[in-house]
C-alpha cells in the first residue's frame, strides 16, 4: 500500500503513473486496457511539452504566433506546439476517434490506425492554459477531458457536445516549479509528480481532498467595476467581516490551472463571473470548466456558474463560455448565497 504521500515503504519507491493505472485497471476484469493506453498517450505528450516549456526561454518558442484562435485570442507559439504534440500522440495511440481542441476551430476526427484501434473515446483539450503568461515564466498547464463515443454514433460535433456529467475522466498537467499530472476517472483524484531524472510521473499526492474551506480567493479584481452587487458584498465579507483579521488572502495568477491547483491543495475559491467583455463568463465550458468541475467534485469540492452545477450544463457549442465559481464547498456555497442576495451564512 502506498503511504499518504504515495511512497511505498516496502519497496522504497513511488508508484509510477503506468503502474497505478494498470493496478486500477486490474480491478475491472472486462477492461480492455484501452483507457490505460489513452492515459499513457496523454502523459507522453505531457513530457514532450514539458521539455519544450522548460527550455522556452532558450528555444524560439515564446511569443505570439501571429495567429488568432477561434476564441479571438492571440495564439502563442507554445499553444500551437502543445496542440500539435497532444494531437499527434493521441492519433498515434489510436484510442480515440475524435479530438476537440481549444486551439482548433473544427473537430478533429481520427482515422482508425488498424484493427487494434479501439477509437471509443473523445478527448477534449486545452493544450496550454494560461499561455499568455509563458513569456514571464509563470506556471501554465494542459487540461484534458475524456468522454465515450456514444454507442452507434459517428465521431461528429453532436457526439462531442455532451454535458460534463458524462465525462469518464478528466485531468490536467501543471508545468510549475515541478510538473504534476492530476487526474480522476470517477474514483477520487490522484496527483503524480514528474521525476525529471527518471522521466516518469510518480504518485506523490494520492486521494486528494480539497479542504471544505480555505484562505485563498482568486478573482480578477480588474473587473470589479462590473461585479454583481452580491459578488462585491461577498468579496467585502471575505476581506473585512471575518472574525480573524487577514482570514483570507487574494491569490490570482491569471492561469486558471495554477490558481485551481493551489486552491485544490490548500483550500480556496476561484471565481470568473460574467463581465461586459465576456457576458457569458470567460472560461470555456468544455475545455476548462467541465474537467476542473469533475476533478473538484471528486475531491469533495463544488463547481457552479453561481447558480447551476457546471457538470449539468448542456453545451450548445464547442467553444461556449461560462461563469465559474469553483473550489472548497463552503466557500462556493457562501458565494452563491451572496449572489442570491442572502448574505453570509448564519455562524
Ligand atoms: P490564456 O490561456 O489566454 O492565457 O487565458 C487564460 C484564462 O482562460 C485562464 O487560465 C485565466 O484564469 C483567465 O483566462 C485569466 O483571465 P483574465 O486575464 O481576464 O483575468
Amino acid at each position: 500500500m502506498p503511504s499518504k504521500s504515495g511512497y511505498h515503504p516496502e519497496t522504497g519507491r513511488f508508484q509510477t503513473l503506468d503502474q497505478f493505472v494498470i493496478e486500477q485497471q486490474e480491478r475491472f476484469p472486462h477492461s480492455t486496457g484501452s483507457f490505460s493506453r489513452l492515459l499513457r498517450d496523454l502523459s507522453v505528450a505531457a513530457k514532450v511539452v514539458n521539455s519544450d516549456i522548460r527550455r522556452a526561454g532558450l528555444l524560439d518558442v515564446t511569443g505570439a504566433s501571429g495567429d488568432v484562435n477561434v476564441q479571438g485570442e492571440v495564439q502563442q507559439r507554445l499553444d500551437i506546439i502543445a496542440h500539435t504534440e497532444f494531437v499527434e500522440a493521441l492519433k498515434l495511440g489510436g484510442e480515440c476517434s475524435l479530438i476537440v481542441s481549444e486551439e482548433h476551430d473544427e473537430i478533429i476526427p481520427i482515422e482508425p490506425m488498424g484493427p487494434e484501434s479501439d477509437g471509443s473515446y473523445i478527448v477534449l483539450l486545452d493544450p496550454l492554459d494560461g499561455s499568455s503568461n509563458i513569456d514571464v515564466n509563470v506556471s501554465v498547464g494542459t487540461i484534458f477531458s475524456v468522454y465515450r463515443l456514444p454507442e452507434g454514433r459517428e465521431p461528429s460535433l453532436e457526439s462531442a457536445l455532451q454535458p460534463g456529467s458524462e465525462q469518464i475522466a478528466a485531468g490536467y498537467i501543471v508545468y510549475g516549479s515541478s510538473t504534476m499530472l492530476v487526474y480522476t476517472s470517477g474514483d477520487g483524484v490522484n496527483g503524480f509528480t514528474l521525476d525529471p531524472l527518471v522521466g516518469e510521473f510518480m504518485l506523490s499526492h494520492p486521494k486528494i481532498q480539497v479542504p471544505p474551506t480555505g484562505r485563498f480567493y482568486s478573482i480578477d479584481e480588474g473587473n470589479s467595476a462590473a461585479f454583481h452587487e452580491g459578488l462585491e458584498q461577498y468579496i467585502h465579507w471575505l476581506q473585512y467581516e471575518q472574525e480573524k483579521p487577514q482570514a483570507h488572502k487574494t491569490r490570482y495568477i491569471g492561469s486558471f490551472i495554477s490558481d485551481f491547483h493551489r486552491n485544490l491543495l490548500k483550500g480556496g475559491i476561484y471565481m470568473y463571473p460574467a463581465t461586459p467583455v465576456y457576458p457569458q463568463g470567460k472560461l470555456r465550458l468544455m475545455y476548462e470548466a467541465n474537467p476542473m468541475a469533475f476533478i473538484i467534485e471528486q475531491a469533495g469540492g463544488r463547481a457552479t456558474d453561481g447558480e447551476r452545477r457546471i457538470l449539468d450544463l448542456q453545451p450548445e457549442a464547442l467553444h461556449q463560455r461560462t461563469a465559474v465559481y469553483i473550489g472548497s464547498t463552503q466557500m462556493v456555497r457562501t458565494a452563491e448565497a451572496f449572489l442570491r442576495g442572502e448574505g453570509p451564512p448564519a455562524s
Side-chain angles (χ1 to χ4, degrees):
M1 274 292 284
S3 69
K4 219 175 149 206
S5 68
Y7 179 72
H8 269 261
E10 303 94 58
T11 60
R13 289 172 194 276
F14 285 91
Q15 196 174 25
T16 68
L17 174 64
D18 287 348
Q19 289 165 339
F20 178 86
V21 172
I22 288 167
E23 201 176 281
Q24 299 291 306
Q25 179 195 314
E26 282 166 357
R27 292 166 44 207
F28 302 97
H30 303 297
S31 158
T32 61
S34 154
F35 177 68
S36 310
R37 290 194 289 275
L38 183 79
L39 259 186
R40 183 209 49 208
D41 300 339
L42 288 164
S43 71
V44 168
K47 288 180 203 171
V48 177
V49 172
N50 177 61
S51 76
D52 287 335
I53 288 173
R54 295 296 167 213
R55 288 178 294 159
L58 302 171
L59 305 177
D60 187 23
V61 291
T62 58
S65 67
D67 291 327
V68 168
N69 71 9
V70 68
Q71 323 284 325
E73 292 156 347
V74 176
Q75 279 182 319
Q76 304 293 314
R77 286 195 197 105
L78 265 170
D79 278 324
I80 298 165
I81 292 173
H83 165 86
T84 308
E85 294 297 356
F86 276 91
V87 170
E88 288 308 314
L90 289 168
K91 271 188 187 168
L92 270 175
E95 305 305 330
C96 68
S97 54
L98 185 63
I99 303 171
V100 189
S101 164
E102 195 206 313
E103 298 303 334
H104 203 267
D105 302 13
E106 311 287 339
I107 58 169
I108 308 171
I110 309 294
E111 289 298 320
M113 298 286 285
E116 262 99 81
S117 279
D118 184 320
S120 56
Y121 298 111
I122 299 174
V123 177
L124 276 78
L125 289 170
D126 179 352
L128 211 56
D129 177 61
S131 56
S132 54
N133 286 315
I134 196 94
D135 286 0
V136 290
N137 237 329
V138 168
S139 302
V140 292
T142 301
I143 309 177
F144 61 89
S145 173
V146 183
Y147 294 81
R148 258 188 214 294
L149 178 67
E151 196 89 24
R153 294 270 289 276
E154 291 298 311
S156 60
L157 172 64
E158 288 67 39
S159 44
L161 290 177
Q162 301 183 40
S165 54
E166 294 297 321
Q167 289 171 103
I168 59 158
Y172 62 87
I173 300 106
V174 58
Y175 310 101
S177 42
S178 59
T179 297
M180 256 188 94
L181 185 153
V182 175
Y183 89 96
T184 181
S185 52
D187 184 21
V189 180
N190 291 284
F192 300 81
T193 301
L194 183 64
D195 182 334
L197 297 180
V198 181
E200 292 284 357
F201 283 102
M202 305 292 193
L203 178 62
S204 52
H205 297 63
K207 298 190 175 71
I208 298 173
Q209 284 286 300
V210 61
T213 188
R215 295 190 73 193
F216 299 119
Y217 71 95
S218 313
I219 189 164
D220 185 342
E221 286 183 296
N223 292 324
S224 60
F227 285 170
H228 177 289
E229 201 188 334
L231 178 56
E232 238 175 49
Q233 287 168 0
Y234 174 53
I235 293 171
H236 191 267
W237 179 78
L238 286 171
Q239 291 170 339
Y240 298 108
E241 293 176 19
Q242 292 286 286
E243 279 166 23
K244 286 187 240 149
Q246 284 224 308
H248 293 102
K249 288 182 172 294
T250 313
R251 291 286 185 275
Y252 190 73
I253 297 173
S255 169
F256 178 42
I257 240 174
S258 311
D259 283 311
F260 176 93
H261 186 66
R262 181 201 50 250
N263 294 350
L264 172 69
L265 298 183
K266 305 277 185 197
I269 182 171
Y270 174 99
M271 300 173 274
Y272 209 114
T275 66
V277 179
Y278 297 108
Q280 312 300 322
K282 184 181 181 194
L283 300 196
R284 276 58 50 131
L285 174 63
M286 308 284 290
Y287 313 111
E288 296 175 297
N290 271 339
M292 300 312 228
F294 188 23
I295 293 168
I296 205 78
E297 285 198 5
Q298 284 293 314
R302 183 170 173 88
T304 70
D305 66 356
E307 230 175 294
R308 298 167 299 173
R309 182 178 177 235
I310 294 285
L311 295 181
D312 289 338
L313 301 177
Q314 175 60 51
E316 276 148 27
L318 284 178
H319 303 290
Q320 185 171 329
R321 296 176 190 268
T322 179
V324 172
Y325 295 78
I326 189 166
S328 295
T329 295
Q330 282 176 30
M331 296 181 86
V332 177
R333 282 197 192 283
T334 305
E336 289 163 1
F338 271 98
L339 290 172
R340 287 193 300 269
E342 292 167 12
S347 50

